[in-house]
Amino acid sequence: QVQLVESGGGLVQPGGSLRLSCAASGSIIRVYTMGWYRQVPGKQRELVAAITGGSTNYADSVKGRFTISRDNAKNTIYLQMNNLKSEDTAVYYCNARLTTFMIGQNEYWGQGTQVTVSS
């Protein structure tokens, strides 16, 4: 059993900041990649940022504003979001691709956390 527990979402004014956290727990053997996706009504879920080992990648729309980081010991990732814009409003989902003892390699999703940027 693997669970992804998210926190940090909320309401923020344009130009403000939020920090999202996602902790993966369970019988994890290896984490291949973890990342953040977001989705708004009428659009497909899109990658915001991901981290695999020492490499990171970001959507063009958030480069220079968002930073993803990882605490390997805790299997936790963070998304520091600065200079938030109204178009960042979405449900943000944590994603992990990992291997467990019972299931093997699989993909897991958090329940999603709402980020609303509004004045």
Side-chain angles (χ1 to χ4, degrees):
Q1 180 75 9
V2 172
Q3 291 185 331
L4 303 181
V5 180
E6 302 164 327
S7 63
L11 175 65
V12 65
Q13 294 184 341
S17 299
L18 285 174
R19 184 175 185 251
L20 305 183
S21 300
C22 173
S25 62
S27 300
I28 300 170
I29 297 174
R30 180 183 177 184
V31 176
Y32 294 94
T33 185
M34 296 184 70
W36 292 95
Y37 292 71
R38 67 186 181 188
Q39 188 170 28
V40 298
K43 294 184 62 179
Q44 294 184 336
R45 190 172 299 182
E46 66 173 351
L47 174 69
V48 177
I51 183 166
T52 305
S55 65
T56 59
N57 61 290
Y58 298 89
D60 289 340
S61 60
V62 307
K63 287 181 179 178
R65 299 188 297 119
F66 292 9
T67 302
I68 188 170
S69 60
R70 179 175 174 178
D71 184 336
N72 291 329
K74 297 181 178 180
N75 289 324
T76 299
I77 59 168
Y78 308 90
L79 185 67
Q80 180 66 46
M81 303 183 292
N82 297 327
N83 192 24
L84 283 160
K85 304 175 180 180
S86 60
E87 50 263 44
D88 295 317
T89 296
V91 177
Y92 285 71
Y93 296 90
C94 180
N95 171 268
R97 277 168 269 186
L98 48 81
T99 298
T100 65
F101 177 76
M102 289 185 59
I103 306 299
Q105 187 171 330
N106 210 344
E107 185 175 38
Y108 299 90
W109 292 92
Q111 65 179 351
T113 183
Q114 177 71 48
V115 172
T116 302
V117 185
S118 176
S119 61

